[in-house]
């Protein structure tokens, strides 16, 4: 699957950024719920391992995730899921384990049938959807680290997978909130990092979203508020969607407030 290589590249881009930093990076807090870089890496490593177990089969997946989901059902935080499994793994050792696990997971997905069904937290999904979800989560959580460092992530056509996931979860963004899904999704017309134009849905001058593909991905993954992007949103349906877009599973999440997620190098310019 090409998407397996896109996930591999996504992981390597993040690894290259972190690998240039001093040891102190792991304990630094990001703008995402106060998570540290170590928290983010532990989260990615844990769920990459869950995806690898899902590829092995239902038994392996439930053996790994059963105890974690019991803690979640008991009201514990999402971070509590990974800590017993990590068993004290942290810092540079965690970074190395996450990198190795990412490469192994990419290898496993590259050999998988894209249409095969795998278990997950919630409904089963195809292997193709599963590896796209791993890329999306790596990209989205990685944004918090790039922001912390004031760094610009090298983007490429691999981001199309995340944008497409954002487009096809149009209905989910309403359903997860118990809202009626608008009958006609907006046209989405975006500029790729290469300058190519990508488009989805029927042309509609009165119901559309235009702008940079990277910024659209930032909104649907909730790493930026719409107001902090240059996206051009036309029509009530498009506006309602972008105000609460959510391309990931789980309960409804509120997008970050305007001005709360940004590259830290801009902090002085904002008067913070």
């Amino acid at each position: 699957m090409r998407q397996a290589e896109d996930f591999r590249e996504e992981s390597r881009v993040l690894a290259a950024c972190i690998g240039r930093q001093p040891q102190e990076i792991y304990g630094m807090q990001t703008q995402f719920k106060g998570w540290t870089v170590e928290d983010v890496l532990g989260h990615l490593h844990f769920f990459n391992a869950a995806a690898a177990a899902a590829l092995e089969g239902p038994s392996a997946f439930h053996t790994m995730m059963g105890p974690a989901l019991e803690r979640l059902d008991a009201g514990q935080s999402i971070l509590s899921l990974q800590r017993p499994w990590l068993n004290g793994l942290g810092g540079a050792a965690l970074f190395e384990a996450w990198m190795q696990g990412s490469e192994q997971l990419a290898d496993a997905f590259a050999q998988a049938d894209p249409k095969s069904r795998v278990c997950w937290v919630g409904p089963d999904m195809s292997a193709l959807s599963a590896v796209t979800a791993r890329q999306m989560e790596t990209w989205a959580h990685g944004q918090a680290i790039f922001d912390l460092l004031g760094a610009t992530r090298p983007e490429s056509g691999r981001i199309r997978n995340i944008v497409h996931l954002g487009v096809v979860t149009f209905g989910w963004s309403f359903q997860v909130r118990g809202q009626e899904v608008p009958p006609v999704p907006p046209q989405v017309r975006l500029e790729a990092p290469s300058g190519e134009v990508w488009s989805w849905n029927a042309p509609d001058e009165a119901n559309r979203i235009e702008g940079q593909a990277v910024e659209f991905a930032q909104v649907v993954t909730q790493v930026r508020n719409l107001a902090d992007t240059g996206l051009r949103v036309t029509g009530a349906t498009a506006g309602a969607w972008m105000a609460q877009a959510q391309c990931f599973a789980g309960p409804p999440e509120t997008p970050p407030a305007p001005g709360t997620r940004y590259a830290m190098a801009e902090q002085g310019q904002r008067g913070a």
Side-chain angles (χ1 to χ4, degrees):
M1 285 187 285
R2 187 200 76 245
Q3 288 81 357
E5 298 309 316
D6 290 337
F7 163 72
R8 190 193 308 276
E9 182 182 351
E10 202 68 70
S11 301
R12 287 179 175 179
V13 166
L14 179 57
C17 177
I18 297 172
R20 295 190 293 267
Q21 307 305 317
Q23 289 291 314
E24 292 75 20
I25 183 67
Y26 300 111
M28 294 176 65
Q29 282 192 341
T30 71
Q31 296 167 347
F32 177 72
K33 300 182 178 180
W35 285 21
T36 64
V37 171
E38 188 172 270
D39 290 333
V40 171
L41 289 176
H43 180 80
L44 294 176
H45 185 42
F46 176 75
F47 280 99
N48 282 351
L55 284 175
E56 293 180 27
S59 178
F61 178 78
H62 292 301
T63 296
M64 176 181 176
M65 289 301 294
L69 294 179
E70 287 177 4
R71 289 191 292 275
L72 193 63
D73 290 341
Q76 297 186 33
S77 71
I78 190 73
L79 286 180
S80 72
L81 305 190
Q82 67 202 46
R83 286 170 179 151
W85 183 82
L86 290 171
N87 194 28
L89 183 66
L94 171 59
F95 174 63
E96 294 292 336
W98 163 70
M99 284 198 302
Q100 182 178 9
S102 297
E103 293 289 335
Q104 293 171 343
L105 184 61
D107 290 343
F109 272 113
Q111 300 301 318
D113 177 355
K115 297 180 180 179
S116 62
R117 306 299 294 181
V118 297
C119 297
W120 199 241
V121 182
D124 293 355
M125 64 176 77
S126 69
L128 176 61
S129 294
V131 73
T132 300
R134 297 315 310 140
Q135 182 196 352
M136 179 273 294
E137 190 164 19
T138 302
W139 187 89
H141 283 293
Q143 185 67 60
I145 297 175
F146 278 97
D147 285 345
L148 173 66
L149 300 171
T152 300
R153 174 171 31 210
E155 300 288 3
S156 72
R158 72 184 186 278
I159 201 173
R160 184 184 176 98
N161 299 325
I162 301 169
V163 172
H164 181 73
L165 182 62
V167 172
V168 300
T169 51
F170 164 76
W172 166 250
S173 296
F174 294 90
Q175 291 169 346
V176 72
R177 292 167 173 80
Q179 301 170 358
E180 185 175 351
V181 178
V184 181
Q187 180 190 16
V188 179
R189 183 177 171 84
L190 305 168
E191 183 178 334
S194 66
E196 179 185 1
V197 175
W198 295 335
S199 61
W200 288 262
N201 303 330
D204 191 340
E205 294 293 334
N207 184 29
R208 66 191 305 175
I209 299 161
E210 301 171 281
Q212 298 294 318
V214 170
E215 292 191 327
F216 179 85
Q218 289 175 335
V219 171
V220 298
T221 58
Q222 295 189 357
V223 303
R224 287 290 189 275
N225 187 283
L226 175 64
D228 296 321
T229 74
L231 292 175
R232 300 180 297 281
V233 179
T234 303
T237 295
W241 178 27
M242 289 291 95
Q244 61 184 27
Q246 178 173 330
C247 73
F248 47 88
E253 294 282 352
T254 301
T260 59
R261 297 289 299 273
Y262 54 89
M264 295 294 284
E266 301 173 10
Q267 188 172 7
Q269 300 173 22
R270 291 167 181 262

